[in-house]
Amino acid sequence: MHTAALRNALAFVGALTIGALTVTGCGTTGEATVQTAPASPGTAADTSGPDAAAEPAQVARLTAAADVFDAPDGGVVRTLDAATGFGSQTVLLVTDTDRSGWLEVMLPGRPNEALGWIRSDAAEVREVALEVRIDLAARELSLLDAGTAVWTTPTAIGDPEHPTPTGSFYVTDKLDTGDPNGAYGPYALGLSARSDVLTEFAGGDGQIGIHGTNLPGSIGQAVSHGCLRIDNALVAELAALLPLGTPVTIS
């Protein structure tokens, strides 16, 4: 997204101001007292295990505004625009393709992990082999390709009063902050997840994101309002590699 559009749109849960850009989604608690060393770049992870050669995810990319139904040939429960509030093409993680002419999809926003049905002709379906997994107990984020871990890195997570939500989510937006040295680093990846605590904050709806930081000592700590912070070089790598719809599992 162009920086001008980002300034009018970007809103993750929390509150920090980057010049003219107000980002609502990844604020911090007690960061001035953090004494830990900066996070190191991601390290190669063990590539063995049962997840090797995992099936790619299927992602539906809307070609126009689409109605969401509670069941195939059921009632309309909501309508999704072809683009998100940030200007990204709307994508939905496909969870079931067994009904002819229909796709069951995971919906962005509240409630987390909500499912619905769209007509299959409303979207282009693509496969995504990459995925992201976040281990809150270990405070680590891992990038996987076809189920094989590529690298793992420390991540900041939500503080005790604003915990990072757990569950299955996906990338809905990739945003260039326009300020690589700012509080959110060079990029922020918006997720389908929403905070379980903050239903609105500074104009946003409590959306969770993955982003960089200008406080590397906070990485690996429980200090955010729910967002995940990683090394700036690695968030730039994620922004370059991950297509919209990439699955993100937080546990």
Side-chain angles (χ1 to χ4, degrees):
M1 176 181 292
H2 296 300
T3 300
L6 179 65
R7 285 179 177 145
N8 293 327
L10 184 56
F12 293 133
V13 71
L16 288 178
T17 301
I18 307 177
L21 169 63
T22 298
V23 182
T24 59
C26 311
T28 62
T29 298
E31 289 179 325
T33 62
V34 172
Q35 301 295 324
T36 56
S40 59
T43 56
D46 183 1
T47 58
S48 63
D51 293 322
E55 291 295 322
Q58 292 188 307
V59 174
R61 303 169 65 93
L62 295 190
T63 55
D67 289 331
V68 179
F69 298 80
D70 57 8
D73 297 316
V76 175
V77 292
R78 63 188 285 193
T79 299
L80 294 173
D81 292 333
T84 72
F86 299 131
S88 306
Q89 183 176 14
T90 298
V91 298
L92 306 165
L93 190 62
V94 177
T95 54
D96 190 351
T97 59
D98 288 342
R99 303 291 187 94
S100 178
W102 294 89
L103 299 171
E104 185 187 56
V105 293
M106 183 178 294
L107 304 173
R110 301 180 191 281
N112 284 333
E113 301 181 286
L115 302 179
W117 293 83
I118 62 171
R119 299 185 188 277
S120 56
D121 60 5
E124 299 174 348
V125 177
R126 301 182 183 181
E127 292 187 342
V128 175
L130 296 174
E131 63 175 305
V132 172
R133 296 184 189 175
I134 295 124
D135 183 332
L136 296 179
R139 299 178 187 173
E140 290 182 337
L141 180 149
S142 297
L143 172 66
L144 292 87
D145 184 357
T148 298
V150 178
W151 50 253
T152 293
T153 190
T155 180
I157 64 172
D159 66 34
E161 294 184 355
H162 310 91
T164 301
T166 59
S168 297
F169 309 110
Y170 57 94
V171 176
T172 58
D173 299 276
K174 296 196 295 183
L175 309 172
D176 183 338
T177 68
D179 184 3
N181 299 314
Y184 294 87
Y187 293 96
L189 307 182
L191 305 183
S192 61
R194 299 299 187 270
S195 170
D196 292 329
V197 177
L198 298 172
T199 57
E200 61 85 21
F201 204 103
D205 68 346
Q207 184 174 6
I208 299 298
I210 300 169
H211 62 79
T213 181
N214 62 357
L215 293 172
S218 69
I219 297 175
Q221 306 300 306
V223 292
S224 80
H225 279 104
C227 287
L228 296 311
R229 297 184 209 151
I230 63 173
D231 177 82
N232 284 350
L234 292 177
V235 80
E237 182 174 336
L238 290 184
L241 290 175
L242 302 184
L244 296 178
T246 297
V248 176
T249 303
I250 306 175
S251 61

